[in-house]
């Protein structure tokens, strides 16, 4: 996929690929996306910044091979998803069908290497891979920006997983202006992922965003602060200042969760172990370790650190947080497409 190539959404020709496989890594937001200005188009209330992580790929195969009257067939990690998730995938496939001219139902097989719905951005990798595989199987030829815009319609954060490394998502104001693109970065970054729970979230991100926007008195202030945070983070990246980047990243995440907690009723994803992890990270930082916490919509904690010290940081967290699963993750690549026969 070349950033300069045009978006093509014409009906597929007889030579079009009937089946395609694509994979995408998850990403962790450093400056958060929380709340949608337009739910139908998945236009966010704020721009965001993320780091795509290696070794977290979801691989998805799509073929539009169903007969008349057949429904989409979807398998995720060897099982059929529930009605809500199936409907979400089918709605996304309807968008691909409408743009490509394909009318057949699809067969979708997906396997993820990260826990689902546990705050580790599984939907970002899942819908980025689905967007790439489905569009290619439908005969579409999308450049990176167009693929980013398409993936956004499945899951907002999926727009960032199209790209590797450090990525910014421009909130925009319509479909054309809301997309992600890579950010040049010379810093040696890594994330240490502390998994406290692999259970499904008690409330979906979509529902939690709606409730936060509608009822939290802190939401407008968080949106305003987030714009400043993004610029400060980009400035820190440009200057190669990890300490400044880490400070902004941690503050932005805590601000997002404070905004959710202030919703009515409050939305609290944290577990007691989440607070224990935060206190441990603060203690390690006081001791001189380059560690800053971030938390997405879930209880699990991610730690921004230097790549050269990531294994050291991971080992220290394992010792201090017994019973948790800790892994060092390094920047990973964007979407990969493998065309089927």
């Amino acid at each position: 996929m070349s950033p300069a190539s045009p978006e093509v959404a014409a009906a597929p020709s007889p030579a079009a690929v009937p089946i395609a496989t694509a994979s995408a890594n998850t990403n962790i937001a450093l400056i958060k996306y929380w709340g949608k200005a337009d739910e139908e188009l998945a236009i966010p209330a704020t721009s965001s910044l993320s780091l795509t992580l290696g070794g977290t790929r979801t691989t998805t195969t799509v073929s539009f091979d169903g007969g008349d009257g057949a429904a989409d067939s979807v398998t995720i990690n060897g099982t059929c998803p529930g009605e809500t998730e199936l409907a979400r995938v089918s709605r996304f496939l309807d968008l691909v069908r409408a743009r490509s001219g394909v009318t057949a139902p699809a067969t979708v097989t997906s396997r993820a290497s990260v826990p689902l719905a546990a705050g580790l951005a599984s939907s970002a990798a899942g819908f980025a891979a689905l967007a790439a595989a489905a569009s290619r199987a439908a005969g579409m030829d999308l450049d990176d920006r167009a693929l980013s815009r398409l993936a956004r319609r499945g899951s907002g954060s999926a727009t960032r997983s199209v790209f590797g490394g450090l990525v910014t998502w421009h909130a925009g104001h319509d479909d054309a202006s809301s997309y992600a693109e890579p950010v040049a970065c010379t810093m040696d970054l890594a994330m240490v992922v502390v998994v406290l729970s692999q259970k499904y979230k008690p409330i979906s991100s979509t529902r939690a965003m709606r409730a936060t926007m509608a009822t939290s008195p802190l939401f407008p202030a968080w949106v305003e602060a987030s714009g400043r945070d993004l610029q400060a983070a980009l400035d820190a990246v440009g200057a190669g200042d990890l300490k400044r980047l880490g400070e902004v990243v941690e503050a932005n995440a805590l601000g997002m969760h404070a905004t959710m907690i202030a919703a009515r009723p409050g939305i609290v994803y944290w577990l007691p172990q989440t607070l224990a992890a935060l206190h441990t990270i603060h203690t390690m930082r006081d001791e001189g370790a380059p560690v800053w916490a971030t938390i997405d919509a879930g209880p699990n904690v991610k730690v921004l650190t230097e790549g050269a010290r990531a294994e050291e940081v991971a080992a220290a967290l394992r010792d201090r947080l017994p019973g948790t699963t800790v892994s060092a993750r390094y920047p990973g690549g964007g979407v990969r497409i493998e065309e089927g026969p």
Side-chain angles (χ1 to χ4, degrees):
M1 294 177 293
S2 168
S5 60
E7 177 177 355
V8 177
S13 68
V17 178
I19 180 171
T21 297
S23 66
N25 278 310
T26 190
N27 70 79
I28 298 300
L30 305 181
I31 302 300
K32 303 298 186 185
Y33 142 59
W34 192 252
K36 296 174 183 174
D38 185 320
E39 281 208 17
E40 181 180 355
L41 294 177
I43 307 297
T46 63
S47 297
S48 57
L49 180 72
S50 66
L51 183 66
T52 300
L53 303 182
T56 60
R57 285 192 176 271
T58 290
T59 301
T60 300
T61 299
V62 177
S63 59
F64 288 96
D65 55 2
D68 292 340
D72 294 319
S73 173
V74 180
T75 303
I76 300 175
N77 287 344
T79 63
C80 296
E83 290 185 9
T84 299
E85 187 63 18
L86 177 59
R88 185 181 181 188
V89 172
S90 287
R91 284 195 302 271
F92 183 79
L93 292 170
D94 285 343
L95 183 64
V96 174
R97 281 186 281 256
R99 293 186 179 186
S100 67
V102 168
T103 59
T107 298
V108 178
T109 304
S110 185
R111 183 161 295 278
S113 61
V114 297
L116 301 179
L120 288 174
S122 58
S123 63
F127 275 96
L130 179 62
S135 61
R136 184 59 62 95
M140 302 169 73
D141 182 17
L142 304 183
D143 66 23
D144 289 345
R145 182 173 297 184
L147 182 59
S148 175
R149 289 168 44 220
L150 176 61
R152 190 195 74 236
R153 300 291 297 274
S155 172
S157 54
T159 195
R160 300 184 306 236
S161 279
V162 169
F163 303 97
L166 206 61
V167 179
T168 187
W169 175 13
H170 304 287
H173 56 84
D174 59 13
D175 180 63
S177 60
S178 186
Y179 59 87
E181 63 182 354
V183 175
C185 178
T186 59
M187 284 192 291
D188 180 26
L189 300 178
M191 300 290 289
V192 175
V193 180
V194 182
V195 179
L196 306 168
S197 172
Q198 295 192 23
K199 295 181 180 179
Y200 275 73
K201 295 179 289 192
I203 177 172
S204 71
S205 295
T206 297
R207 287 175 53 210
M209 286 183 193
R210 289 175 188 155
T212 302
M213 293 182 71
T215 68
S216 176
L218 301 185
F219 186 75
W222 181 78
V223 169
E224 182 179 348
S226 190
R228 295 193 298 269
D229 288 345
L230 177 60
Q231 188 56 58
L234 291 173
D235 289 345
V237 170
D241 189 340
L242 177 58
K243 180 176 182 293
R244 177 57 181 150
L245 176 62
E247 290 171 348
V248 176
V249 164
E250 185 168 289
N252 184 265
L254 295 178
M256 183 185 78
H257 281 271
T259 301
M260 285 190 279
I261 292 169
R264 302 177 185 184
I267 300 166
V268 183
Y269 284 115
W270 294 2
L271 299 172
Q273 298 95 314
T274 307
L275 285 172
L278 288 174
H279 285 300
T280 297
I281 292 162
H282 292 171
T283 298
M284 290 173 61
R285 191 161 66 233
D286 290 341
E287 294 170 353
V291 289
W292 296 270
T294 187
I295 310 171
D296 293 314
N300 300 308
V301 178
K302 279 71 69 175
V303 183
L304 179 67
T305 189
E306 293 178 10
R309 298 188 63 180
E311 294 296 344
E312 171 194 337
V313 167
L317 287 167
R318 289 188 197 99
D319 288 342
R320 300 186 189 207
L321 297 170
T324 62
T325 300
V326 182
S327 61
R329 301 285 186 177
Y330 302 89
V335 160
R336 293 199 306 242
I337 295 178
E338 177 185 348
E339 297 179 2

